[in-house]
Amino acid sequence: QDADLVLVDAPPAAGVADASVLATKVDGVLLVLNAGHSKRDQARRAKEALQRVNAPLLGVVLTNVTESGGVLG
């Protein structure tokens, strides 16, 4: 069957090579960061790992942020 859009969830890009390998097989990558949990250094390493394999990084999704800018949880 054909699909207009297929989303693939992968392990963290900074810690596991699987995400970098998978990133080269897709049309685009969204880096998902958890507000209040993801550290800036971790995010930077994940981005660099994706850039090293020329992954098509489309953008970043920041989760667990309230409308007022606070962190959920």
Side-chain angles (χ1 to χ4, degrees), residues 5-69:
L5 179 67
V6 175
L7 296 176
V8 179
D9 189 16
V16 184
D18 295 352
S20 294
V21 172
L22 183 58
T24 65
K25 308 295 184 198
V26 297
D27 293 329
V29 175
L30 288 173
L31 182 58
V32 180
L33 302 174
N34 185 350
H37 186 271
S38 299
K39 304 293 184 215
R40 187 173 296 188
D41 186 53
Q42 292 171 321
R44 186 178 299 114
R45 284 196 319 266
K47 178 184 170 205
E48 290 169 354
L50 294 169
Q51 288 176 325
R52 276 194 299 277
V53 296
N54 295 317
L57 186 58
L58 301 176
V60 177
V61 176
L62 187 60
T63 63
N64 295 320
V65 177
T66 65
E67 190 173 324
S68 63

